[in-house]
Amino acid sequence: MLVPEKKVKTSPLSCDTPTRTILHEVSGVFEAGKFTAIMGTSGAGKTTLLNAVAGEASGGKLSGGVSFNGAQVNSDHIRRLRAFVFQDDVMMGTMTVREAITMSARLRLPASIPLTEKLKRVEEVIELLHLDKCKDSVIGYAKERGISGGERKRVGIAMELITNPSVIFLDEPTSGLDSHTAHSVCKTLKELAKAGRTVVATIHQPSSDIFHMFDNLLILAHGKILYQGPSRDCTPYFAARGSECPRYTNPADHIFMKVLNDQDAITEDEKQLATARVQSLLNEYVTSGTLSRMEEAAAAPGPGVSGSGQEKGAGVMTELAVLFTRARRNAVRNRMILRAKIGQSMFMGLLVGLIYRNLQTNQKSIQDRNGALFFVSVNVTLSAAFGVISAFGVERTVFERERSVGMYSTLSYFLSKILVELPHNVIFPFLQSTIVYFLLNLQQAADKWIIWAMIFVILNNVGNSLGISIACMFADLEMTIQAAPIFILPLMLFSGLFVNQTGIPVYFNWIKYISPMKYRWDRRGAEE
């Protein structure tokens, strides 16, 4: 039984902050073995209700409770008992379908389950969701060809289904799909419900074929329940109240166009009459026997919930192993990025080397020498920083989604990324530094060359860390790129080339000590 009341702040500038109630004392039951659709106009509270029941609600004020099999459960418990498929399909595009589902199995299933059993379950889920034909295909990204939209949606369901949940919540599973693909996805959900699971999905405006797949229907209007019960009974229910569905008309279209709204209402009086009719239906539902039956079913004692939900998933070492393998594959399969790094290292090395070629040791070459040292230090640092900002900006949504469902810890993700990218952060700056060193005709001694190359490598890794830090501050990639110069330009300004170190105001003096470029080209600064 659920009685949520969620209030959202709408005017943070006012002294007495007003609130808006999204859901108004909503009570209902989602039956086991049934496919239930939550329908309603935009802003009716569909997603809010789904999030509240599934333990995904955040912000605002939520009151009431949720029970499973007659036992009251809290949000943490709910999250361990159910699967939640979000509207947007967020997953690593370089993985294959089998790899994505296998990763979910290895990270989310208890460590007590043998690996062979986990892999067996992966194959069973692939077969159950009809993913056999594309199981070895790369998922792909929005701008890179991969599997189809319907297959992506089923992969998302499979990654959640791997834990064998008894309840599956889905937010707009047909969003962005064509009618055939949407029908295929809903047919899969219907089969999952027939197998004994409780399937609940928000649906905006289904086709007629999809509508007739629903076992139960919950219709929201203005944050309240207007109808709840078997989908086959909704048209007679509204017909008895003056809104008969015409023959050969999609019941869903009739509900949206004539029950929840009146497409023929033109004048203000007609619109007010339509609003009054909706309010009358809302009031009638409250006093109807349907609500009473739902409340009795929710209050009825059941078998309860055994144990504390799903056991804890994989340990830290398993997380590191799985994430390291995925990151390594991602680096290898992103051939364009690999080629770009090699090309950038060679191009920038040759460019700097040819511009400042054969530096002399006389007074006239001081400016060229200072310029060369400053330019290479800035280039290797900024290239690494902006490179990781772009790369992490793409992966951030995947990380946040997987982290939110408890797949792995932040530490495991961070360590795996560092370990995979460390060879790149050593080899490429070493290549660039070698090209620059010999073209500039610096001291021809092995130890000097090695020191030069190692400083290049250190600067590259410092830039990499700087980029990660900046990328973590902002959720949006575009905002991150816009804000990056605010952090980077002061480091360049106080590195020692543009401003005399002894003339920096005391309140800015500390910036020079955190500038990596200062220690690269100004030896005196490193000895201060």
Side-chain angles (χ1 to χ4, degrees), residues 19 25 61 76 87 109 115-116 131 144 168 196 215 218 228 230 296 330-331 334 342 438 499 512 515 528:
T19 60
E25 298 185 351
K61 179 183 178 182
D76 291 336
Q87 180 178 349
L109 292 177
L115 179 58
T116 53
L131 292 168
E144 295 182 18
I168 306 173
D215 296 303
L218 190 154
Q228 183 176 195
E296 289 174 3
N330 183 52
N334 268 323
I342 296 174
F438 289 104
V499 179
K512 68 181 182 182
S515 172
E528 285 184 1

Side-chain angles (χ1 to χ4, degrees), residues 13-24:
L13 297 179
S14 61
C15 296
D16 298 323
T17 305
T19 60
R20 180 168 66 95
T21 303
I22 298 177
L23 298 174
H24 304 258

Side-chain angles (χ1 to χ4, degrees), residues 1-2 28-29 67 69-72 292-302:
M1 179 177 177
L2 175 71
V29 174
S67 60
N69 295 332
Q72 197 80 9
S292 301
R293 289 192 297 272
M294 290 296 175
E295 290 179 337
E296 289 174 3

Side-chain angles (χ1 to χ4, degrees), residues 501-512:
Q501 298 285 291
T502 59
I504 300 175
V506 64
Y507 42 83
F508 285 138
N509 196 51
W510 58 273
I511 299 179
K512 68 181 182 182

Side-chain angles (χ1 to χ4, degrees), residues 341 344 377-393 421 425 456-472 477 480-481 483-485 487-489 491-492 516-517:
K341 287 183 177 180
Q344 182 187 41
S377 64
V378 169
N379 172 65
V380 70
T381 305
L382 298 195
S383 296
F386 279 100
V388 77
I389 284 175
S390 301
F392 184 70
E421 293 178 359
N425 293 335
F456 251 82
V457 171
I458 292 171
L459 274 178
N460 184 272
N461 283 274
V462 170
N464 191 71
S465 301
L466 179 62
I468 292 175
S469 301
I470 297 173
C472 290
L477 176 58
T480 304
I481 294 175
F487 298 91
I488 294 174
L489 289 180
L491 302 180
M492 296 173 55
M517 286 78 82

Side-chain angles (χ1 to χ4, degrees), residues 313-353:
V316 176
M317 296 307 297
T318 302
E319 290 178 358
L320 278 173
V322 173
L323 293 174
F324 178 84
T325 301
R326 182 179 72 168
R328 178 176 55 81
R329 287 172 176 165
N330 183 52
V332 172
R333 291 172 183 173
N334 268 323
R335 296 182 180 179
M336 287 299 296
I337 294 179
L338 187 62
R339 292 170 182 169
K341 287 183 177 180
I342 296 174
Q344 182 187 41
S345 298
M346 296 183 66
F347 175 79
M348 294 307 299
L350 289 170
L351 178 64
V352 177

Side-chain angles (χ1 to χ4, degrees), residues 216-327:
N216 291 332
L217 197 62
L218 190 154
I219 302 176
L220 289 173
H222 310 304
K224 300 178 181 179
I225 294 181
L226 186 138
Y227 173 83
Q228 183 176 195
S231 59
R232 64 177 180 274
D233 295 341
C234 75
T235 48
Y237 178 86
F238 293 124
R241 287 153 181 81
S243 296
E244 183 175 359
C245 180
R247 193 178 183 185
Y248 306 123
T249 298
N250 179 3
D253 290 339
H254 174 70
I255 291 171
F256 280 102
M257 302 301 290
K258 296 298 293 182
V259 178
L260 299 176
N261 301 284
D262 190 348
Q263 61 180 344
D264 298 325
I266 299 176
T267 67
E268 192 63 30
D269 290 340
E270 290 175 335
K271 292 179 180 178
Q272 290 180 1
L273 185 62
T275 302
R277 185 176 65 251
V278 172
Q279 188 60 49
S280 175
L281 290 170
L282 290 171
N283 295 336
E284 186 172 349
Y285 175 78
V286 174
T287 59
S288 68
T290 302
L291 178 59
S292 301
R293 289 192 297 272
M294 290 296 175
E295 290 179 337
E296 289 174 3
V305 182
S306 59
S308 59
Q310 184 184 325
E311 297 178 45
K312 187 177 180 181
V316 176
M317 296 307 297
T318 302
E319 290 178 358
L320 278 173
V322 173
L323 293 174
F324 178 84
T325 301
R326 182 179 72 168

